[in-house]
């Protein structure tokens, strides 16, 4: 019987693990992919908005020569912290179900079964994409994840969205020789786009290097073309790849199967105590981005690191 099972081996799951280790609890971190799996699947060229000190966990300095750390810096940092502290990590182990038995929980994964008094769900949101729900979205040329711009050299690329990821994809593929067309549902590029990137995309659109259709929607995707609904009517353009940067969402089915209540307003925000992070299930806590439901922009590494301390304070107070 463990004191704690942490589901998710991202930065916040690791932060909870460090706090549990400091509190002297018996615990295990279960991660369905590699260490910090979401960060590993970020684009190879990705640069963080935050400075390195805001990404630190457990009080360990994040040293980098870059003003804004990149993906490689982060992978190295979180790996070194995990190994240096000998955190009990079970990687490539996906939790399939959680059952409550009196005051404890049985956690079943694809590799084993565990018993724990408490659970922290720190599963993030990057594993499930928000779909367009249009004809042709299931074609192989449609991508919800982006790795490297070189792949799209000399290709006709449609980028859906106007967020940070959409803008990065548009600029990077354009600079590798792609013919880029953006399809933006709203009237402008998002106000949340990184301040040092936004002037770049606006200038590229203004000069015509990147085409942009605002107040528009992608309506259908076919093997060699797409239909776009614009204010001036429906247009069809030639196309090789569609980059649907439409966002991602937490695994709501998993939360509901556990018994965690979700809001019924379409945002599916999980029920939890903001002072302790405990859900409607006794001894089950949330940490990180998963707390925001569909509002995935509310929580990120730098403002949810505190969840670990709040959770462990509550667990240790109950033990006493």
């Amino acid at each position: 019987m463990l004191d704690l099972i942490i589901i998710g081996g991202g930065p916040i799951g690791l932060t909870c693990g460090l706090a549990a280790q400091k509190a002297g609890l018996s615990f295990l971190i279960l991660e369905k992919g590699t260490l910090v799996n979401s960060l590993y699947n970020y684009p190879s060229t990705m640069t963080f908005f935050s400075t390195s000190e805001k990404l630190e966990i457990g009080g360990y300095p994040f040293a980098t020569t870059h003003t804004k750390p990149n993906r490689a810096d982060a992978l190295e940092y979180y790996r070194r912290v995990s190994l240096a502290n000998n955190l009990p990590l079970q990687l490539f182990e996906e939790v399939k179900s959680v059952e409550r038995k009196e005051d404890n929980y049985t956690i079943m994964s694809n590799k084993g079964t565990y018993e724990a008094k408490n659970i922290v769900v720190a599963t993030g949101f990057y594993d499930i994409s928000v779909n367009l729900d249009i004809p042709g979205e299931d074609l192989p040329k449609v991508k919800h994840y982006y790795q490297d711009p070189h792949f799209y050299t000399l290709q006709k690329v449609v980028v859906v969205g106007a967020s940070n990821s959409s803008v990065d994809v548009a600029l990077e593929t354009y600079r590798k020789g792609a013919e880029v067309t953006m399809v933006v549902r709203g009237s402008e590029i998002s106000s949340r786009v990184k301040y040092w990137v936004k002037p770049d995309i606006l200038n590229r659109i203004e000069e015509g290097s990147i085409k942009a259709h605002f107040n528009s929607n992608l309506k259908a995707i076919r093997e060699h073309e797409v239909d776009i609904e614009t204010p001036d009517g429906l247009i069809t353009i030639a196309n090789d790849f569609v980059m649907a940067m439409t966002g991602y969402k937490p695994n709501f089915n998993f939360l509901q199967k556990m018994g965690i209540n979700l809001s019924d307003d379409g945002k599916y925000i999980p029920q939890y105590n903001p002072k302790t992070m405990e859900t409607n299930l006794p001894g089950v806590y949330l940490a990180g981005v998963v707390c925001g439901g569909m509002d995935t922009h509310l929580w990120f590494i730098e403002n949810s690191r505190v969840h670990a301390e709040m959770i462990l304070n509550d667990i240790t107070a109950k033990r006493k």
Side-chain angles (χ1 to χ4, degrees), residues 137-314:
E137 187 174 14
D138 57 344
L139 288 171
K141 73 173 191 174
V142 180
K143 312 291 183 183
H144 288 278
Y145 297 88
Y146 165 75
Q147 285 295 322
D148 190 275
H150 172 83
F151 185 82
Y152 303 98
T153 298
L154 299 178
Q155 302 302 292
K156 293 178 173 61
V157 176
V158 164
V159 179
V160 181
S163 62
N164 276 297
S165 56
S166 307
V167 168
D168 286 344
V169 170
L171 288 170
E172 291 175 11
T173 54
Y174 154 70
R175 292 202 162 95
K176 297 300 182 183
E179 181 183 315
V180 179
T181 300
M182 298 185 72
V183 179
V184 181
R185 183 173 56 185
S187 59
E188 60 184 11
I189 297 297
S190 172
S191 60
R192 293 200 294 268
V193 169
K194 291 171 282 195
Y195 65 84
W196 65 91
V197 173
K198 193 168 184 179
D200 191 1
I201 188 64
L202 293 178
N203 288 333
R204 302 294 75 75
I205 292 172
E206 184 177 355
E207 71 186 16
S209 299
I210 293 175
K211 299 182 181 70
H213 296 284
F214 293 98
N215 299 308
S216 301
N217 291 285
L218 198 62
K219 298 301 290 183
I221 304 168
R222 293 180 292 279
E223 195 66 44
H224 302 295
E225 60 187 17
V226 297
D227 294 337
I228 306 171
E229 185 179 59
T230 75
D232 298 322
L234 191 70
I235 64 171
T236 299
I237 64 171
N239 172 257
D240 297 306
F241 289 96
V242 173
M243 307 301 294
M245 302 291 102
T246 47
Y248 310 95
K249 60 185 178 181
N251 191 337
F252 296 123
N253 288 336
F254 177 70
L255 297 178
Q256 288 179 313
K257 281 174 61 179
M258 286 183 66
I260 296 174
N261 295 332
L262 305 179
S263 67
D264 58 3
D265 56 0
K267 295 185 177 181
Y268 307 110
I269 298 173
Q271 179 182 340
Y272 65 92
N273 183 335
K275 295 181 179 179
T276 64
M277 307 309 294
E278 188 174 26
T279 68
N280 56 285
L281 297 175
V284 176
Y285 300 82
L286 299 178
V289 181
V290 71
C291 301
M294 287 300 294
D295 287 337
T296 53
H297 63 280
L298 296 179
W299 296 103
F300 33 93
I301 297 172
E302 66 181 73
N303 73 348
S304 59
R305 295 175 297 179
V306 296
H307 293 169
E309 184 178 355
M310 296 163 66
I311 291 167
L312 269 298
N313 284 344
D314 193 59

Side-chain angles (χ1 to χ4, degrees), residues 84-103:
N85 287 277
N86 197 28
L87 290 177
L89 286 154
Q90 298 282 98
L91 302 178
F92 301 100
E93 182 161 357
E94 182 177 3
V95 174
K96 296 293 188 179
S97 64
V98 175
E99 294 180 2
R100 185 180 179 186
K101 293 186 177 180
E102 297 180 353
D103 293 331

